[in-house]
Amino acid sequence: MTASPPARPPERPERPGSDGRISLRVAVIATLGVLSGAVAGLLTWLAHDNAANAVLVGLGTVAAAYVFFQRIIR
Protein backbone atom coordinates (compact mmCIF):
# COMPACT_ATOMS: atom_id res chain seq x y z
CA MET A 1 0.00 0.00 0.00
CA THR A 2 1.57 3.24 -1.11
CA ALA A 3 0.58 6.56 0.36
CA SER A 4 -0.25 9.30 -2.06
CA PRO A 5 1.43 12.67 -1.55
CA PRO A 6 -0.67 15.28 0.27
CA ALA A 7 -2.77 17.47 -1.95
CA ARG A 8 -1.52 21.01 -2.49
CA PRO A 9 -3.87 23.77 -1.41
CA PRO A 10 -5.27 25.84 -4.28
CA GLU A 11 -3.33 28.97 -5.05
CA ARG A 12 -5.01 32.28 -4.38
CA PRO A 13 -5.30 34.39 -7.48
CA GLU A 14 -3.51 37.69 -7.11
CA ARG A 15 -5.38 40.85 -7.88
CA PRO A 16 -3.54 43.31 -10.10
CA GLY A 17 -1.70 45.83 -7.96
CA SER A 18 -2.19 43.84 -4.76
CA ASP A 19 1.00 43.64 -2.76
CA GLY A 20 -0.44 42.54 0.61
CA ARG A 21 -0.72 45.96 2.24
CA ILE A 22 -3.90 47.47 3.61
CA SER A 23 -5.34 50.56 1.97
CA LEU A 24 -4.92 54.04 3.36
CA ARG A 25 -8.67 54.23 4.02
CA VAL A 26 -8.62 51.12 6.23
CA ALA A 27 -5.54 52.38 8.08
CA VAL A 28 -7.16 55.75 8.82
CA ILE A 29 -10.44 54.16 9.94
CA ALA A 30 -8.66 51.67 12.22
CA THR A 31 -6.45 54.39 13.71
CA LEU A 32 -9.41 56.65 14.43
CA GLY A 33 -11.29 53.72 15.99
CA VAL A 34 -8.40 52.80 18.27
CA LEU A 35 -7.82 56.42 19.28
CA SER A 36 -11.51 56.85 20.09
CA GLY A 37 -11.47 53.69 22.20
CA ALA A 38 -8.33 54.75 24.04
CA VAL A 39 -9.78 58.16 24.88
CA ALA A 40 -13.10 56.69 26.03
CA GLY A 41 -11.32 54.06 28.13
CA LEU A 42 -8.99 56.62 29.68
CA LEU A 43 -11.84 58.97 30.55
CA THR A 44 -13.84 56.09 32.06
CA TRP A 45 -10.87 54.99 34.14
CA LEU A 46 -10.24 58.53 35.37
CA ALA A 47 -13.92 58.95 36.30
CA HIS A 48 -14.50 55.59 38.02
CA ASP A 49 -11.00 54.23 38.83
CA ASN A 50 -12.06 50.79 37.62
CA ALA A 51 -9.73 49.25 35.03
CA ALA A 52 -12.05 46.40 33.98
CA ASN A 53 -14.90 48.79 33.27
CA ALA A 54 -12.58 51.12 31.36
CA VAL A 55 -11.33 48.28 29.14
CA LEU A 56 -14.87 47.17 28.33
CA VAL A 57 -15.94 50.71 27.48
CA GLY A 58 -12.83 51.21 25.36
CA LEU A 59 -13.35 48.00 23.37
CA GLY A 60 -17.00 48.80 22.78
CA THR A 61 -16.05 52.25 21.61
CA VAL A 62 -13.47 50.84 19.17
CA ALA A 63 -16.15 48.70 17.54
CA ALA A 64 -18.72 51.49 17.37
CA ALA A 65 -16.19 54.07 16.15
CA TYR A 66 -14.91 51.72 13.44
CA VAL A 67 -18.43 51.28 12.06
CA PHE A 68 -19.10 55.01 12.36
CA PHE A 69 -15.92 56.09 10.56
CA GLN A 70 -16.37 53.38 7.92
CA ARG A 71 -19.74 54.86 7.00
CA ILE A 72 -18.65 58.49 6.88
CA ILE A 73 -15.28 58.02 5.14
CA ARG A 74 -15.87 57.01 1.52
Side-chain angles (χ1 to χ4, degrees):
M1 194 181 225
T2 51
S4 61
R8 292 179 56 194
E11 294 184 24
R12 260 176 54 187
E14 290 289 326
R15 287 184 279 169
S18 174
D19 56 358
R21 293 185 290 177
I22 63 172
S23 68
L24 179 62
R25 177 180 175 266
V26 173
V28 168
I29 291 170
T31 302
L32 290 173
V34 169
L35 285 174
S36 300
V39 169
L42 177 65
L43 291 175
T44 302
W45 180 70
L46 290 174
H48 299 288
D49 200 27
N50 185 349
N53 194 18
V55 168
L56 290 175
V57 168
L59 290 175
T61 304
V62 168
Y66 187 86
V67 171
F68 173 74
F69 289 122
Q70 189 175 19
R71 288 186 183 220
I72 66 169
I73 298 176
R74 294 278 171 177

